[in-house]
């Protein structure tokens, strides 16, 4: 009888097992961070219910993150100038 020759599989490196689980965990982390990043930027801030100077009641609502008005920057600059010129009106 002759000895069986060594098979070529013995010299080849073994395939690593369990990498599929690592890929699934990495994919879950990526999906989680995408979901969290979308939710944090969706709403600018929360405005609590309050009364205006004229006595009107304002309900609580979320404030938009950014203005959709085309002239938002100009209006903001005008408002800053007005408050700067009339400081005594808004000091409490």
């Amino acid at each position: 009888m002759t000895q069986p020759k060594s098979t070529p599989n013995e010299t080849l490196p073994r395939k690593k097992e369990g990498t599929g689980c690592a890929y699934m965990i990495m994919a879950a982390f990526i999906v989680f961070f995408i979901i969290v990043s979308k939710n944090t930027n969706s709403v600018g801030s929360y405005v609590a219910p309050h009364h205006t100077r004229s006595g009107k009641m304002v309900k609580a609502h979320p404030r938009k993150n950014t203005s959709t008005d085309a002239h938002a920057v100009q209006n903001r600059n005008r408002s800053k100038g007005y408050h700067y010129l009339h400081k005594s009106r808004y000091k409490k």
Side-chain angles (χ1 to χ4, degrees):
M1 282 194 78
T2 60
Q3 292 283 337
K5 294 181 180 179
S6 64
T7 59
N9 292 341
E10 290 178 8
T11 58
L12 295 175
R14 295 184 75 188
K15 183 179 176 183
K16 293 182 181 178
E17 296 178 8
T19 55
C21 182
Y23 289 132
M24 293 297 287
I25 291 172
M26 287 181 1
F29 276 121
I30 291 170
V31 170
F32 173 74
F33 285 119
I34 290 172
I35 291 171
V36 169
S37 67
K38 281 187 178 182
N39 288 340
T40 56
N41 295 332
S42 62
V43 176
S45 61
Y46 172 74
V47 179
H50 63 279
H51 291 280
T52 61
R53 290 183 177 200
S54 61
K56 180 182 173 185
M57 176 65 184
V58 178
K59 290 184 184 178
H61 61 278
R63 182 175 284 147
K64 289 186 292 188
N65 198 13
T66 57
S67 177
T68 56
D69 184 18
H71 303 288
V73 175
Q74 294 169 357
N75 293 339
R76 237 180 282 135
N77 290 336
R78 259 188 242 121
S79 177
K80 285 179 189 176
Y82 182 82
H83 289 288
Y84 179 75
L85 290 173
H86 302 92
K87 289 179 186 176
S88 60
R89 286 189 178 191
Y90 296 98
K91 285 188 180 177
K92 291 185 178 181

